[in-house]
């Protein structure tokens, strides 16, 4: 079979999924349809509908687009079936019902941004950085009932440096993912695809989950060692960003997002966790249970993101201020 003859339906929503779709389209693969999320209401009164990044790319390239509210809706199922897909590819989309993922004759495979079976779940890139991992990667696997548990087709590893934030790793995996998706499709076309059950790939250490990240997840706990807090900040930057409450002596509290930081010391200081030290001009140091963290880039609620020196020019930190 030639790649022009393999009918592919692609499913994805955010920017991360655009790169793999671009690689398929520009690589000459036969993408007969795209399934993505509904348009979102934006603007002050929600009066403007904004298409997903995947839809924007698909429309620009003349691709058929389906945007179901519910994936079990009979009208959507019939529209999807009418596309007569031989293969479906999922990148950063919703969990599919069996009636959808079992439809094509070659099945449905997913691109996941981790080295499965580690980091099954919605936020694998964030959690790999938060946990201080030295490497991550991308995996393609065939879908089955249990989420992120299907047999692995391809897996490629990528290093994580101590200075990478999640945005750096995200971009790296996004670009790599497009290549791995195309390699996976080529193996299916050539009939050379092989798979490995995840049960045969279990590591000696416990599996780490990658649950969805909420606002409360992002709050910094200053009672932890400085290295854990440093990795926590990296793993949430630039989005959704780690945050803390800044408390000044008069009792006023303001939320502050922290985008960049560095480690000053890893030794216990004896000062209460969250204690701030600053010269009022060049640095803000925060004490943790073991060590001191220097804040480099931060943002007060309702203000612009800025470097620490610009921040201190516009906001005077009185003695006795602290982070909670």
């Amino acid at each position: 079979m030639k790649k022009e003859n393999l009918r592919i339906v692609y499913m994805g929503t955010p920017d991360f999924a655009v790169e793999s779709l671009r690689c398929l389209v520009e690589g000459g693969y036969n993408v007969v349809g795209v399934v993505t999320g509904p348009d979102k209401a934006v603007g002050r009164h929600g009066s403007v509908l904004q298409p997903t990044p995947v839809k924007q790319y698909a429309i620009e390239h003349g691709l058929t687009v389906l945007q179901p509210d519910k994936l079990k809706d009979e009208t959507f199922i019939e529209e999807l079936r009418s596309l007569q897909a031989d293969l479906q590819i999922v990148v950063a989309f919703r969990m599919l019902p069996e009636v959808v993922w079992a439809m094509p004759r070659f099945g449905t495979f997913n691109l996941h941004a981790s080295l499965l079976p580690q980091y099954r779940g919605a936020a694998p890139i964030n959690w790999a950085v938060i946990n201080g991992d030295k490497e991550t990667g991308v995996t393609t696997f065939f879908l089955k009932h249990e989420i992120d548990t299907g047999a692995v087709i391809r897996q490629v590893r990528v290093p994580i440096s101590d200075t990478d934030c999640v945005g750096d790793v995200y971009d790296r995996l996004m670009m790599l993912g497009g290549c791995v998706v195309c390699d996976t499709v080529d193996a299916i076309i050539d009939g050379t695809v092989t798979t490995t059950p995840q049960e045969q790939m279990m590591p000696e250490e416990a599996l780490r989950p990658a649950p969805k990240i909420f606002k409360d997840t992002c709050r910094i706990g200053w009672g932890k060692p400085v290295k854990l807090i440093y990795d926590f900040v990296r793993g949430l930057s630039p989005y959704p960003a780690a945050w803390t409450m800044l408390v000044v002596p008069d009792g006023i509290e303001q939320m502050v997002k922290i985008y960049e930081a560095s480690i000053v010391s890893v030794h216990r200081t004896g000062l209460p966790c969250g204690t701030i030290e600053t010269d009022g001009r060049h640095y803000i140091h925060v004490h943790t249970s073991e060590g001191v963290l220097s804040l480099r880039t931060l943002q007060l609620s309702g203000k612009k993101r800025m470097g620490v020196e610009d921040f201190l020019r516009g906001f005077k930190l009185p003695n006795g201020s602290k982070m909670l």
Side-chain angles (χ1 to χ4, degrees):
M1 177 185 292
K2 295 182 179 180
K3 64 182 179 182
E4 295 85 355
N5 298 327
L6 182 77
R7 297 178 64 85
I8 296 172
V9 166
Y10 186 86
M11 301 183 180
T13 294
D15 289 321
F16 189 88
V18 174
E19 177 61 20
S20 293
L21 178 58
R22 184 192 67 79
C23 288
L24 290 167
V25 171
E26 295 185 5
Y29 296 87
N30 185 20
V31 180
V32 297
V34 171
V35 181
T36 190
D39 295 355
K40 285 190 175 182
V42 296
R44 187 171 181 179
H45 302 290
S47 58
V48 178
L49 291 178
Q50 180 175 312
T52 71
V54 163
K55 179 183 177 179
Q56 292 180 48
Y57 181 90
I59 294 298
E60 289 169 2
H61 292 80
L63 301 175
T64 298
V65 176
L66 303 181
Q67 294 178 275
D69 287 317
K70 297 181 180 179
L71 295 176
K72 290 185 179 180
D73 180 80
E74 285 299 324
T75 301
F76 165 66
I77 295 298
E78 288 307 312
E79 289 177 330
L80 184 62
R81 189 173 284 118
S82 71
L83 295 176
Q84 300 180 328
D86 300 306
L87 175 69
Q88 290 176 161
I89 300 170
V90 180
V91 181
F93 194 56
R94 291 177 273 174
M95 185 175 179
L96 303 182
E98 182 175 2
V99 67
V100 172
W101 59 256
M103 192 179 295
R105 61 181 177 132
F106 290 122
T108 300
F109 78 80
N110 177 256
L111 174 75
H112 190 73
S114 83
L115 298 173
L116 289 173
Q118 289 287 17
Y119 296 113
R120 293 168 175 164
I125 310 177
N126 296 93
W127 287 107
V129 180
I130 288 171
N131 288 329
D133 289 3
K134 299 298 184 183
E135 70 172 359
T136 184
V138 294
T139 303
T140 53
F141 66 95
F142 283 115
L143 294 191
K144 66 175 190 178
H145 288 98
E146 297 79 13
I147 189 168
D148 295 338
T149 61
V152 169
I153 310 167
R154 291 278 192 276
Q155 194 166 82
V156 179
R157 297 174 179 268
V158 171
I160 303 175
S161 79
D162 288 338
T163 57
D164 281 334
C165 70
V166 73
D168 300 322
V169 182
Y170 180 100
D171 291 344
R172 216 171 292 149
L173 296 184
M174 179 176 66
M175 301 304 293
L176 174 63
C179 298
V180 176
V181 162
C182 291
D183 288 345
T184 301
V185 175
D186 289 342
I188 291 171
I189 291 172
D190 296 340
T192 59
V193 66
T194 58
T195 60
T196 304
Q198 289 191 38
E199 292 75 14
Q200 297 179 15
M201 303 172 68
M202 292 295 175
E204 293 182 2
E205 67 272 18
L207 291 182
R208 289 176 166 177
K212 187 175 180 179
I213 290 174
F214 298 95
K215 180 180 178 180
D216 287 347
T217 313
C218 302
R219 186 166 188 172
I220 298 171
W222 295 104
K224 298 177 181 178
V226 67
K227 177 61 164 64
L228 295 184
I229 299 174
Y230 171 72
D231 291 338
F232 187 75
V233 170
R234 292 192 302 127
L236 296 169
S237 180
Y239 183 83
W243 64 274
T244 185
M245 295 304 296
L246 171 62
V247 183
V248 297
D250 61 9
I252 295 176
E253 297 186 9
Q254 297 189 65
M255 190 179 83
V256 181
K257 291 184 176 180
I258 311 298
Y259 293 94
E260 291 181 278
S262 60
I263 296 174
V264 176
S265 168
V266 297
H267 302 294
R268 191 184 302 271
T269 66
L271 292 176
C273 298
T275 297
I276 292 174
E277 288 186 315
T278 179
D279 64 353
R281 296 177 60 195
H282 303 295
Y283 68 83
I284 300 173
H285 293 170
V286 186
H287 290 255
T288 73
S289 66
E290 293 181 13
V292 179
L293 189 74
S294 180
L295 309 187
R296 306 286 296 277
T297 306
L298 58 165
Q299 179 181 20
L300 272 175
S301 181
K303 303 295 183 179
K304 294 181 179 180
R305 172 178 169 175
M306 60 188 72
V308 65
E309 293 187 2
D310 289 335
F311 180 88
L312 288 171
R313 272 193 288 270
F315 187 91
K316 303 304 179 184
L317 273 179
N319 292 330
S321 299
K322 59 184 178 180
M323 299 288 191
L324 292 180

